[in-house]
Amino acid sequence: MQTGSSGEVRSVVGATDTRGKHRISAELKRLEQETRFLEEEFEQLEKLERASASCKELLINIETRPDPLLPVTNGPVNPTWDRWFEGPQESSGCR
Amino acid sequence: MSVAELKERHMAATETVNSLRDRLRQQRLLLLDTDVAGYARSQGKTPVTFGPTDLVCCRTLQGHTGKVHSLDWTPERNRIVSASQDGRLIVWNALTSQKTHAIKLPCAWVMTCAFSPNGQSVACGGLDSMCSIFNLNTQTDNDGSMPVSRMLSGHKGYVSSCQYVPDEDTHLITASGDHTCVLWDITTGLRTSVFGGEFQSGHTSDVVSVSINGSNSRMFVSGSCDSTARLWDTRVASRAVRTFHGHEGDVNTVKFFPDGNRFGTGSDDGTCRLFDIRTGHQLQVYNQPHGDNEAPHVTSIAFSISGRLLFAGYTNGDCYVWDTLLAQVVLDLGSLQNSHDGRISCLGLSADGSALCTGSWDTNLKTTSVDK
C-alpha cells in the first residue's frame, strides 16, 4: 500500500498488478493490523481531553520557566547567561 | 485463497482503513475547541517584543569549507560539534571560537552529528549508511584522520539523524533512509531495537529526523518523508505509540518541547506544528503566508528553554523566531546585521538555553544570544 500526502491509503492492487500472492497477503495483514490500531484509537478518543486543556498546561509551563533568550523573563536569572558578551579573559593586561 | 480473492480483500481493507482514518480525523476536529494562539489571546497574552539590539550574533565560527549540515551542543554548555559537506567534523569551543578538533571523516558524505552526554565522544552518520563514533581523547593524524572507536552498521539506507540517549553514553538512536529508526548499544555495536521496517508497522518512507524526550528518555519522536511524525516507546519496537498526521510534505525536523509532553515539527509544506503526545492533538500551526510564491521549506527547529520561542530555519535563508503562544513571527534572524548568507540547515540551543547556534550552507556557524 502507499500513503499519499493526506495520509490516505491507495490500493495499488489492480488488474495489471503482477505481485505474487505472498506480497499481497503480507500487505493485507498489515492493513488488518492498521484497522485494529485505528479502532483502538477510536475507543480512546471517547476519553480524550479537549485541546484547551493541553493549551492551558502549555501556558503554565512556559511562564514558570526562566528563559535567557526572552527580553523579559521570570527569575531566577543566572549571571553565566551573559558570558557570550564578556570580553576574553587575559592573564595580564591593563585594567 | 486465490490471488483474485486476496486482491478483493485487499481493496476492501484499504477502504476500511481510509474510512476509519477519515472518521478519526472528524472526531478529533470536534475536540479541537481552540488552538494555542486562540487560548493565549483569551488569557490576554501579548506577543514577545524584541528591541533592535536584543538578539544579536555574538560569535561566527569559521572553518568549514563546505555546507554545514548538522550541529550539536554538549550538555556542559560551551562546546559544539558540526558536520559539513567538506567531509569533516569540527569541535568548537563556542565561547572562545577555537577549534579543538577537526576530524577528517572516512566517508565525506556526512549528514548528522551528535555529542555524547559526557562530552568525550561524537557520533556521525551519512550516505555510508553507518554511524561512526569517535573518542575525542584520541589523537588525529596530520591530515586530521582519527580512528573510529566504534562503527554501527546495519542500516540499509543513509543515516539522516542521530542522537545519544540523554545521560547514557552507551546508547544512541539513529534515523535512516531505510524507513527505520534504530536504538544501538555502542559497547557491543549491536542493534537493541529496530523501529519500523519491512515486517513491522512504521514509517513508509525515509526517516529524516529524530528527537528524544529530555523528560522521559524512553520516548522519542521521528519525522519522515511520508509526511507523518511518529512517537515511539523504546520498549515497544513493533509499532509506534501514535502517528501524527497533518503535514502535507516531508517532515524534515522534529524536536521535543521542553516540558516533554509536546513536540514541534517542521516540513516541506512550509509550516511548523505543535503536537500533544498524550492526546495526539495538533495544538498549533505556525504558517507565514507567502502570497503566490511557493512557501520555503522548514529545515530545522529548536525551542527556547521555556518553550516561549520557536526558532525555525528555512530553505531561503530566513530564520524566524516564532512566539509559540501567539503563533506570530516576532523576529527574522535572517534579516539582522551579520546574518548567514545562505540556507539555515541546522540549529540548536545551548544546554542552559543562553545561546542559539545556527549552521548554514554558507559554511559558517553563528551563535546568537540576548545582550541585556
Side-chain angles (χ1 to χ4, degrees), chain A residues 2-87:
Chain A
Q2 291 173 352
T3 308
S5 61
S6 61
E8 191 193 73
V9 176
R10 278 181 287 117
S11 177
V12 292
V13 171
T16 52
D17 194 340
T18 53
R19 282 173 308 158
K21 211 166 153 178
H22 290 114
R23 282 283 248 175
I24 300 178
S25 187
E27 286 185 18
L28 180 59
K29 279 196 175 62
R30 270 202 295 266
L31 281 170
E32 286 167 351
Q33 190 183 55
E34 182 70 17
T35 304
R36 283 193 296 278
F37 292 161
L38 289 168
E39 280 167 352
E40 265 176 44
E41 202 179 323
F42 218 92
E43 279 169 31
Q44 289 166 8
L45 220 50
E46 319 244 315
K47 309 169 213 142
L48 224 50
E49 40 176 41
R50 291 163 174 255
S52 48
S54 303
C55 294
K56 183 173 176 184
E57 191 192 64
L58 184 76
L59 179 56
I60 293 169
N61 289 346
I62 285 178
E63 295 201 318
T64 47
R65 196 155 176 190
D67 191 332
L69 292 181
L70 287 176
V72 177
T73 184
N74 296 326
V77 162
N78 189 330
T80 62
W81 292 349
D82 296 331
R83 65 188 183 280
W84 305 102
F85 297 100
E86 284 150 15

Side-chain angles (χ1 to χ4, degrees), chain A residues 7 9 49 52 57 61 67, chain B residues 18 21 33 259 262 304 306:
Chain A
V9 176
E49 40 176 41
S52 48
E57 191 192 64
N61 289 346
D67 191 332
Chain B
N18 284 337
R21 287 228 181 111
D33 54 337
D259 71 5
R262 283 152 273 268
S304 69
S306 67

Side-chain angles (χ1 to χ4, degrees), chain B residues 18 44 52 74 88 96 109 139 169 182 220 280 298-299 323 346 368:
Chain B
N18 284 337
T74 38
R88 285 186 187 264
T96 62
W109 307 108
Q139 292 273 35
D169 297 292
V182 171
F220 71 93
V298 181
T299 60
D323 180 327
C346 49
T368 303

Side-chain angles (χ1 to χ4, degrees), chain B residues 113-299:
Chain B
C113 59
F115 241 120
S116 65
N118 66 8
Q120 312 232 357
S121 297
V122 290
C124 67
L127 291 186
D128 57 354
S129 304
M130 292 199 290
C131 188
S132 303
I133 315 284
F134 295 93
N135 183 329
L136 293 179
N137 300 318
T138 322
Q139 292 273 35
T140 50
D141 291 348
N142 289 338
D143 71 343
S145 300
M146 185 191 272
V148 179
S149 70
R150 179 67 74 198
M151 210 79 107
L152 305 175
S153 60
H155 274 301
K156 300 190 193 90
Y158 61 88
V159 173
S160 55
S161 181
C162 64
Q163 187 182 347
Y164 277 83
V165 177
D167 302 321
E168 286 183 42
D169 297 292
T170 53
H171 289 89
L172 65 73
I173 296 182
T174 51
S176 171
D178 67 9
H179 307 188
T180 70
C181 295
V182 171
L183 171 67
W184 301 87
D185 180 333
I186 299 172
T187 34
T188 59
L190 298 176
R191 289 172 287 188
T192 303
S193 300
V194 179
F195 305 91
E198 227 181 306
F199 304 107
Q200 297 179 112
S201 155
H203 283 295
T204 53
S205 187
D206 301 15
V207 191
V208 290
S209 181
V210 76
S211 174
I212 306 177
N213 191 338
S215 312
N216 174 1
S217 56
R218 277 199 322 258
M219 307 297 284
F220 71 93
V221 85
S222 56
S224 166
C225 298
D226 67 11
S227 311
T228 71
R230 282 171 213 245
L231 176 70
W232 302 88
D233 181 326
T234 53
R235 298 165 300 178
V236 182
S238 53
R239 57 172 284 200
V241 171
R242 197 183 288 286
T243 301
F244 298 82
H245 297 273
H247 277 298
E248 292 166 4
D250 298 1
V251 178
N252 298 317
T253 175
V254 291
K255 202 60 71 75
F256 258 99
F257 193 77
D259 71 5
N261 289 325
R262 283 152 273 268
F263 67 92
T265 53
S267 166
D268 273 2
D269 67 9
T271 71
C272 298
R273 293 172 198 236
L274 186 69
F275 292 95
D276 184 285
I277 64 170
R278 288 164 309 182
T279 57
H281 293 325
Q282 178 181 280
L283 297 178
Q284 187 64 54
V285 180
Y286 301 92
N287 185 26
Q288 187 79 327
H290 280 87
D292 289 331
N293 300 333
E294 201 195 296
H297 303 172
V298 181
T299 60

